[in-house]
Amino acid sequence: KLGVMVEVPSLLFELNEIAREADFVSVGTNDLMQFLFAADRENRRVADRFDPLAPAALRAMRNVARAAARSRCPVTICGEIGGRPLEVLALIGLGFTAFSMSPSGIGPVKAMLISLDAGWAKARMEVLLADTTGVASLRPALTELAHELGVTL
């Protein structure tokens, strides 16, 4: 099988072609986010500019999920955000259903998944991404909504 690891922003402009030809797509979120933000997530001087729950990053991820769905190409998330409950909540809201994660992420993500209504997540992500004027990150809004609905984070 032939798969593509989406790790560089230039591939975001070729998603339809990639998804039509590949047997699967995996999003390498660590590198993709670092390149999207042009900020090394491990460099303390610029790490605060790196937030995978920023509207631009989430819109890029939504485009990946949509292109894969249109072509019926399986898509997975690879990288640190796949093991973080709040980020996985957002990614489920964008249409992702497969995540790789370190063993330490399994328990917290599983607890979140058990308490989550995926339909709610999808509807809320659409609303949140529709109007992000002046919003640097959806992290506060997603955290608040999760708490209101009893989603375990």
Side-chain angles (χ1 to χ4, degrees):
K1 296 202 175 212
L2 174 66
V4 174
M5 182 71 106
V6 177
E7 293 183 301
V8 294
S10 60
L11 294 180
L12 296 173
F13 300 98
E14 303 295 330
L15 291 171
N16 292 323
E17 293 82 357
I18 289 169
R20 276 196 306 268
E21 298 297 326
D23 294 310
F24 65 92
V25 172
S26 184
V27 183
T29 59
N30 293 347
D31 288 337
L32 181 60
M33 295 298 153
Q34 182 168 303
F35 294 136
L36 276 175
F37 291 109
D40 181 354
R41 66 189 182 280
E42 295 178 13
N43 181 331
R44 290 184 207 178
R45 293 181 289 176
V46 295
D48 62 335
R49 298 179 186 153
F50 182 99
D51 187 353
L53 295 180
L58 291 171
R59 286 186 180 117
M61 297 300 289
R62 180 176 62 185
N63 290 343
V64 174
R66 286 180 175 174
R70 278 192 300 272
S71 296
R72 295 190 177 127
C73 180
V75 62
T76 60
I77 295 292
C78 179
E80 293 175 19
I81 68 173
R84 296 182 188 151
L86 188 61
E87 283 82 345
V88 171
L89 182 157
L91 292 168
I92 287 172
L94 298 176
F96 290 94
T97 60
F99 306 88
S100 67
M101 65 189 75
S102 65
S104 63
I106 294 171
V109 169
K110 182 177 179 180
M112 184 277 298
L113 290 172
I114 289 169
S115 65
L116 178 67
D117 175 339
W120 167 86
K122 289 178 182 180
R124 292 307 304 161
M125 285 306 298
E126 284 303 315
V127 170
L128 289 172
L129 285 174
D131 180 23
T132 58
T133 305
V135 176
S137 175
L138 294 182
R139 186 174 303 280
L142 285 168
T143 301
E144 182 179 322
L145 287 168
H147 288 301
E148 285 176 17
L149 294 173
V151 176
T152 303
L153 296 177

